[in-house]
Amino acid sequence: AQTVTQSQPEMSVQEAETVTLSCTYDTSESDYYLFWYKQPPSRQMILVIRQEAYKQQNATENRFSVNFQKAAKSFSLKISDSQLGDAAMYFCAYSPYSGNTPLVFGKGTRLSVIA
Amino acid sequence: GAGVSQSPRYKVAKRGQDVALRCDPISGHVSLFWYQQALGQGPEFLTYFQNEAQLDKSGLPSDRFFAERPEGSVSTLKIQRTQQEDSAVYLCASSLRGLGNYEQYFGPGTRLTVT
């Protein structure tokens, strides 16, 4: 069974600084998708960024980028120029390449942004 | 509507009561997922529909949990004889079916408290 591990229950960052959230996963599949979701206190889960395992290039979305290390099964999220609105729970998630399939989530990392 | 909606947002039930949680997916979304999120944890998969067909219910924790999507749009998650361990946020997500489209759009969730 696939598992996703987030080893940092809480992280904090100064406004305008950079922070990296860690995620590792375990799978025997060769093709799959990885995601970072943000969940603010309002609870609405929002997709931040996704990475296809067959792509070697790391995904980027504005201030958000990932460091995808397939051999190490590592998928970290880097947030640059942190803003107060980035404060939330961040979940790493995995989905097999077979398509619309259930996501497997990690336990999450609570990010605080200090003004 | 523009996004996934869920009702009610909050539900308090006495132990032993039956509850029904509703999910309205984004119009045209073929796939619909239910997840359970315990306090301080990541969401865990419950069940999955493609149109009206329930393709996977392996995550339902007991036979007290039942989900349906009779017309392939709105879905209802029913919990019979609620127990305290059922207290959680229940998240619904929907997605388009199609090659390369793997984003699941989440609703705000229903927080169920069993007293």
Side-chain angles (χ1 to χ4, degrees), chain A residues 5-65:
Chain A
T5 302
Q6 294 179 249
S7 58
Q8 306 154 315
E10 295 184 359
M11 293 282 285
S12 62
V13 62
Q14 292 280 350
E15 199 175 4
E17 296 296 310
T18 295
V19 65
T20 299
L21 308 184
S22 301
C23 173
T24 59
Y25 59 94
D26 188 24
T27 182
S28 58
E29 303 287 336
S30 58
D31 289 322
Y32 46 87
Y33 281 67
L34 296 165
F35 307 83
W36 278 99
Y37 276 89
K38 171 185 177 181
Q39 188 178 43
S42 65
R43 293 205 305 267
Q44 194 98 30
M45 196 83 77
I46 303 164
L47 178 66
V48 174
I49 197 166
R50 76 176 186 197
Q51 173 79 43
E52 294 90 337
Y54 64 87
K55 290 186 178 179
Q56 293 186 340
Q57 187 173 8
N58 289 324
T60 62
E61 285 288 341
N62 301 312
R63 298 183 295 108
F64 299 87
S65 61

Side-chain angles (χ1 to χ4, degrees), chain A residues 58-79:
Chain A
N58 289 324
T60 62
E61 285 288 341
N62 301 312
R63 298 183 295 108
F64 299 87
S65 61
V66 299
N67 183 3
F68 173 49
Q69 301 289 329
K70 191 173 184 180
K73 295 182 181 175
S74 171
F75 182 62
S76 61
L77 174 70
K78 186 171 83 171
I79 306 174

